Amino acid sequence: MRIGLDKLQPLGRALMLPIAVLPVAAMLLRLGQPDLLNLTFIAAAGEAIFSNLGILFAIGVAVGLARENHGAAGLAGAVAYFVAVEGAKALMAVPPEANGGFTDQAAVDLAVAAWKAKQMAKLSVPCGIAAGLVSGWLYNRYSNIRLPEYLAFFGGRRFVPIAAGVAGVLGAIIFGLGFPILAGGIDALSHWVVQAGGVGLFLYGLLNRLLIITGLHHILNNLAWFIVGDFHGTTGDLKRFFAGDPSAGQFMSGFFPVMMFGLPAACLAMYHSAPPERRTLVGGMLTSLALTSFLTGVTEPIEFTFMFLAPLLYLVHAVLTGVSMALMDALGVRLGFGFSAGLFDYVLNFRQSTRPLLLLPVGLAYAGIYYAAFRFCITRLNLLTPGREPAGETIAEKGTDDVKAGAFIQALGGSANLRSVDACTTRLRLNVGEAAIDEARLRRLGARGFVRPGPGLLQVVLGPVADQVASNIRAELARAPAVGPFAPDAEAILGALGGPSNVRGWHDKAGRLSVKVADRARVDLDALGKAVPHGAAFVDDRRLHLLVGDVPLLHLHFGEGLREGVTR
């Protein structure tokens, strides 16, 4: 089970990159409508994003999966997508009625082309995700490939889009010849979801919350929001809502009572459950969490405050989410969002919604249920929610971004313990060594929870600031301060770097040695961690920094030894 989750973790993270563009698309599309600003060019700008989600997923997923999120993977994703889509159109079997009854050949060709484009639009997101997955894998596997000298121009990263084009041909065969099967499968899934009714929506809401623990809820959401259902060629609950489908919104409406009312009420219960003398200390934090959920629909920082403290309470939260999905559907409420179920999306899409005012009584009822459930469980089970921890654990660390980034690095075991630093919407996603992690200090720095999906993998839940914190940590790693002198073992370091033939260059840089390697896969970071006491870390695809300390000693002991090893 754990191995399977490890393999799916990068996909869940990568899917968030293309999804991040949806808020601006939804905002532009709604603002341009006749009932708001009535500006057709603004609406067309938003529709352009929704109409090209396939290529956005191809590029975004590829970049999200690639080492260092390199743009060459995005180019490869676009190549694979275009080859697969256009090749599939040429291979599709066209039914006789697709010609529109025209007799003129030019008109027939136009009608057939329109039919093919409409049919492929139904599979654009699955095709884009597949193209992104393959291209990301190709980049990680072949971005450092060496070709014979007469083909050297096409080696390295240039090889990846070429390989992606070949993979796109295979995708064209699968999506072109297999179109009836793939389209039939999606139609069958859509019909099953519709027939499942409230039960299906309950299960969706339940699983959506439970999968947050692993970060895999994005995969489930993509299936519901971008694939299920069909409205004049537009698929997915989210896309159909903004295309004007009156039945769309089933997979979004039920989140509004929970995110706008339920979880903010849970924050209020945590505040009232804290000792009076500590409420001032945690009040600001809980207010911030509640407002984030109410306004934007970002809930993970709240959920991780009780997810592991009270698993039973979290299960109640998941069940209530499922009930809300079924209840809102039974009441005929249809709400939609471009980002999440917060006040901003509710107000923006109010006129496009169906029976939106019913959210208010349902939401108030949910606020009462959540408050009572949390207040009872926290006090009866003595849960250590914010403000109820042992003295000293609620004191937050302050400082500039650089200072806090350094504190994060120390709490995460030091720079040598960080193999890779990435982030999704609300979490740091880290690959770490064996050094101890200071969870107490991470909590003082703003962490709301921790997930360890597999060996060497750590996720730190921070909220919407996660991506900025990750950027600050990477920047701090790149300019790590000099540390004490040492006499390095050049032979051991050379071996850990993959041997002399793998070293392409080096230079001194403020107490560090910046080394460029030919093949990242040949570098043994564990061995480097032992040979270089102060650690080593990659700063881009093929360059890493060795923290060796004093510069003169670096010249005398390390630089010369490395130079001799490479010369040999």
Side-chain angles (χ1 to χ4, degrees), residues 458-476:
L458 174 66
Q459 297 177 6
V460 182
V461 180
L462 293 175
V465 300
D467 190 64
Q468 184 60 51
V469 171
S471 297
N472 293 338
I473 291 175
R474 288 193 292 264
E476 186 66 19

Side-chain angles (χ1 to χ4, degrees), residues 335-387:
L335 305 174
F337 50 74
F339 178 64
S340 191
L343 179 66
F344 293 149
D345 275 285
Y346 176 72
V347 172
L348 184 63
N349 302 310
F350 185 88
R351 294 187 180 181
Q352 190 161 333
S353 304
T354 301
R355 310 185 77 181
L357 289 177
L358 280 180
L359 170 65
L360 301 180
V362 174
L364 291 174
Y366 256 66
I369 293 171
Y370 267 77
Y371 181 87
F374 274 73
R375 192 85 163 92
F376 175 82
C377 290
I378 292 170
T379 54
R380 181 61 62 92
L381 301 177
N382 193 29
L383 302 179
L384 300 181
T385 49

Side-chain angles (χ1 to χ4, degrees), residues 474-499:
R474 288 193 292 264
E476 186 66 19
L477 287 173
R479 59 171 181 267
V483 289
F486 70 102
D489 183 344
E491 292 291 336
I493 296 174
L494 269 176
L497 288 170

Side-chain angles (χ1 to χ4, degrees), residues 73 88 208 240 363 478-479 554:
N208 180 279
R240 289 188 290 112
R479 59 171 181 267
L554 178 146

Side-chain angles (χ1 to χ4, degrees), residues 158 165 176 279 308 424 446 466 549:
R158 295 188 185 97
R279 289 177 183 172
F308 300 112
C424 62

